[in-house]
Every structure is written in structure tokens, then in C-alpha cells.
Amino acid sequence: MTTADLLGKILQVVMGLAVFAAIVGLLVFFIDRAPKKGRDYWQLVGFLAPAIILLAIGLIWPAIRTTGLAFLDNSGNFSWDNFIWMFTQPAAIRTLINTVIWVLFVPTLATALGLAYAVFIDKSRGERYYKALVFMPMAISFVGAGIIWRFVYEYRAGEREQIGLLNAIVTGLGGEPVQWLQTDPLNTFLLIVVMIWIQTGFAMVVLSAAIKGIPTEQIEAAQLDGTNAWQRFMNVTVPGIRGSLVVVLTTISIATLKVFDIVRTMTAGNFNTSVVANEMYTQAFRASEVGRGSALAVILFLLVLPIVIYNVNILRKQREIR
Amino acid sequence: MSSVAPVDLPTGEGRDDSSFEEAARDTKSGRIKRRLTSPWATAAAIAIAIVWTIPTFGLFISSFRPAELIQTTGWWTIFQNPGFTLDNYRDVLFSPSQSAPQLGAYFVNSLAIAIPATVFPLVIACMAAYAFAWIKFRGANVLFILVFALQIVPLQMALVPLLQFFSSWLRPLQVGLHNVIPIIPEQNYLPVWIAHTIFALPLAIFLLHNFIHEIPGDVIEAARVDGASHSQIFFRIVLPLAIPAIASFAIFQFLWVWNDLLVALIFSGGTQDVAPLTQRLAELVGSRGQDWQRLTAGAFVSLVVPLIVFFSLQRFFVRGLLAGSTKG
């Protein structure tokens, strides 16, 4: 990178920010000077329009168009081919099954681990530091996490010394080294471990805050009733944080459905590890099978749909109460 | 991190973790709770913490080891096979050869993408959130729920049409920019900025709305009575009061953009002009997955900014997370 390149990049950022500030400034200038009649209307338009326009051209219209593309074959005629391909080709079916496995295991295990950790660590000395350690992977990119765990799963053939931690443990215990990432179906679960590693911290932080929100009187009352720790956990803590548990489970489920980077970095979807989100990228942008990619995106949409509808319902009820 | 789910929950939101802890230590309930913590639970927690940290720690140690040592011995044998070097970092950051990583340029790209892609959606979302919260209009509820529901649309559904849109409308603009100001490359950050801005909007509007909505109505009414226009109220009252929410969402958006791979892969073009670190790293894994001296150092170059943000702004980060997962 030369100095000129660097200057060019800085100039771009500065110009981008300046142009943006100018647009917003102009917008505000005009809505302040809108004609008296209907000024409220113009102000509303001024404040809302940028977001609504961007969402319309960037999300709503593309979603409609992608749905259309999913029903076109390569020559542009209507057909069910893309969906037939998805539900008949062994490789494509495997992708769907893997996605189901991901979405079954990641949210439940990450939430359970996060909850256990939050309970274990609650009020212990140095709570903040223990929390930070488990929470830290949240800040790490999926690509970074992929490299970190590829190193853990690294395999060395024959008698060579293992440099991957997992194989070192296996050989240390007298076993044979395993090509973890190429062993189907074990590899899918090893990728899931990475996602759990990242999401547990999220679950832990949210649930820990919820646990701290439970009135201590309730716990003391239960204690006076002679319950043991497990009974208190099941009868006081869990009901007290039910709402947070639902939030954590749904949030991680959606994140898991869309996961792409982990699979891409660690196996690139080879050895039967692909998931819908990764396959969508591969089909649409690598194999130029736009129809198939779109069909996969539609499936992803259908999978996310019930989760979001559930949350929209809660939101609507809340707003009606207000 | 996309998160849906507004539920009225009790959370420790806004509470300062450490002061809360100290306060609890001195109260009666705090003492009781502390007595409840069993040594087994603590041991299990410590075990989990260690397991969670070891993978990153191992990679970190390895990034300072000479190539031949990484390739032949495990990082845990560091004391039997000592050897520290900064060559890996020098190699990945500034290597003169074209084929080598040269992450320096990509590092600049990551920053150049992440800063505007944090500012743009925040400003636009703040304005929309204000409109939803404090300008009365028919259909506000329906429109707001529609915006929230847009989280239903996975990024993947928007990619193909958005790319077509960019190549037919934005591309000529980029070329025009390049012709007027030659120092700006034809491949520039514009598409990535716009894509990130759009994808961030639904969640940003929702979260900021929750916060802005909570501002006491009296304050805004009083300003209205004094004849303040909406934009004056927005800039003088709402924005300053919403700073905590804005800060925590900004951290989130920054980390999300910094860590993104998918948007970059599709909208950046993959050259040194635009592509961020994550994209280059993913490429390195693909093309030379066995070059551990480069991968380890490269991974840490990409981790340095998020980890600095994480450890220095952890409190706001957590607050944003709680706002993101529960009602703000």
C-alpha cells in the first residue's frame, strides 16, 4: 500500500461522511422551512423518508424479487425446478438436514451452558473477570473464530507430533489422530461447537442480568421453606427469567439459521458440512445458479418466519397496552 | 448480531455491574447469596472459563512462535521449545511480495468501511425512531411493526437483487466519481457502506425507538409550546438524551461491520482497494490453510480492534446487548 492509496482511502471516508452530513443538513433545512400548511406532514416525511426509502430498495423489493427468482429456471421460465432440486438431490437434502441439526443444538446448548455459567458465577468473587472470559468470543469475528478452532482441530498424519490441541489430547491418551473436519458426520458437530463457543457468552450475559433482576426475597423465602439449591433453581430462578430465556433462544436460533462464515472458513461446506446459508452463497455467487440460491434464501426466510411472527405478536400486545 | 424479541423483562439493564456487585456484598441478601455459592459450582465455572479461553490463548501464543516451531510442535510445549519472534506479524502486515498477505491495506479498509457504516445507519435510524416516537400520524403503529418485522428478511434474500441494483445504478456513479477525482478508485466503499446501512436499519430503528420513546413527554411538550420545530427538538433535546443508547448501538454496529464477511464478499469486489480484513483472512484460509504462522498472526491482527473495543467499552457493549435482547 502506497501513501497515495492511503490518502485516497482517507479522502473517500472523509468525503463519504461530508456528503452524508450535507444531505442530512439539507433535509433538515428544508423541513424547517416547509410551508406552514401541512408542515407537520413535511416534517414527518423528512424524518422518515430516508429510512423507508432505503428499506424499500434494500430489503422489501429485493425480498420480493428473490422470491420471484426462486421460481425461474435458467432460461427465465416459471418452474419448480429449484425447489425440486433442493428436496431431491442428496447434497441439497444434506444441507437442509445439517441446518436443522444446527438450529436444534446451538440455541439449546448455548443457552443451557450460559445459564449454568451465569448461576455458578453469580455473586462469586471476580465475577466480572470470569464473565469477560466467556463473553469475549462475542467480539471475535466468525472468521477469526474459525481460524482459532481450525487450529484446535488441526491434524498431522503418521508419527509426527500433533500441533492441534484436540489430536494432541487424543494421542496423549494413546489414541489415533483423527481428521476431525473431514469425518462425517462428526465434523458438523465440531462446527456447531464453534458457534456454541461464541453464543454462550451472549446467553450468559443476558441471563445473568435477568437472574439479578429476581427479587432476593423470593429466593430467601424459598430457602426458608427448606428447599435445596436445585429446587430453588427450578422453582424460583427459571420461572423468574422465562422471558429472557425465550429471548435468548430465539435470538440465537435466528443467528444460527443465518450462519455462514463459520462453515465457509472451516470447511467451505465440503465433507457434508454445508448449511442453507452457506449453500445459498455457493449456488448464487460461485456456481451462478441464481435460481437455486434464491430458492435457498426463500427457505431460510420460511425458517425464520415463525420465530419473528412470534416476536411481532408480543410486540403488538405490548403496544396495545401502552 | 441480529436480535429480535422485545419482551418486558426484568434485567439489570443500566445497572453498573461492578457497583451492583459491591452494593450486594454489603447487604444482608448479598451475604446470604454468597453463602449459597457452593465451591463445586465455582469450580465448574472456572473450568468452563478455562475451556473457553484456551483456544484463543493457544492461537495467540502461536502467533509469536517461529514458523518451523509452529509447524512441528504444539504451542503448549512453549517452555520445552522456546522461541519468540515478531516475524509473523511483520510478514502478514507489510510483506513486499504481491502474493503474501499484506494485511496493512486491508486493515485500513476495515476501518474505512466500519466507521461510516456505523455513522450512516445510526443517524438515519435516530431520525426515523424520533418520527415514530414523537410525531403523531395515522398508521404509525402498523408502519413501526412493519419495520420491526423486516428482520424476518434474512440478508441472503436481499443479496442477489441488491447486487443487480448496484451494478446497474451505483456502478456508473462510482465510475463518474473516479473520473472527476482520480484518487478515488473505481472500486470504492460506496456499495459496502450502503449495504451495511440498509441491513442495520430495522434493528437500529427498533432499539433507538424504545429508548427515545421513554424520554418524558413533558420535556418535548414544553419545547413544542415554546415554538421549537421538530428538528430543533431532535438535535437539542432528543439526541443528547439518547447518547447512551446511541453509544451502545454504535459499538454493536461497529463490531458487526468489522466482523462481517458475507456483505464484504458480495459487495466489495475483493481487491486491496476495498476488501476488509475478514475477507482477506478467509481467502488465506482457503488458499493456504496450512500456513499457520501467517494465519495465527493474521487472525490476531483482525482481532485486535474488536478486543480493544470489547475490553475498553465492555460496560456499554453489555448494555447494548441487553437493550438488543430485551426491551430497551
Side-chain angles (χ1 to χ4, degrees), chain B residues 155-178:
Chain B
L155 240 80
Q156 277 84 355
M157 273 199 101
L159 298 177
V160 173
L162 205 54
L163 189 65
Q164 290 171 345
F165 177 79
F166 280 168
S167 57
S168 54
W169 294 94
L170 207 59
R171 190 88 185 115
L173 179 71
Q174 289 176 271
V175 175
L177 263 176
H178 172 70

Side-chain angles (χ1 to χ4, degrees), chain B residues 165-209:
Chain B
F165 177 79
F166 280 168
S167 57
S168 54
W169 294 94
L170 207 59
R171 190 88 185 115
L173 179 71
Q174 289 176 271
V175 175
L177 263 176
H178 172 70
N179 290 340
V180 180
I181 312 171
I183 198 166
I184 293 180
E186 261 180 67
Q187 280 278 0
N188 59 40
Y189 301 119
L190 204 52
V192 193
W193 286 341
I194 295 178
H196 276 304
T197 301
I198 291 171
F199 295 143
L201 279 179
L203 187 64
I205 294 174
F206 174 70
L207 295 180
L208 292 171
H209 167 272

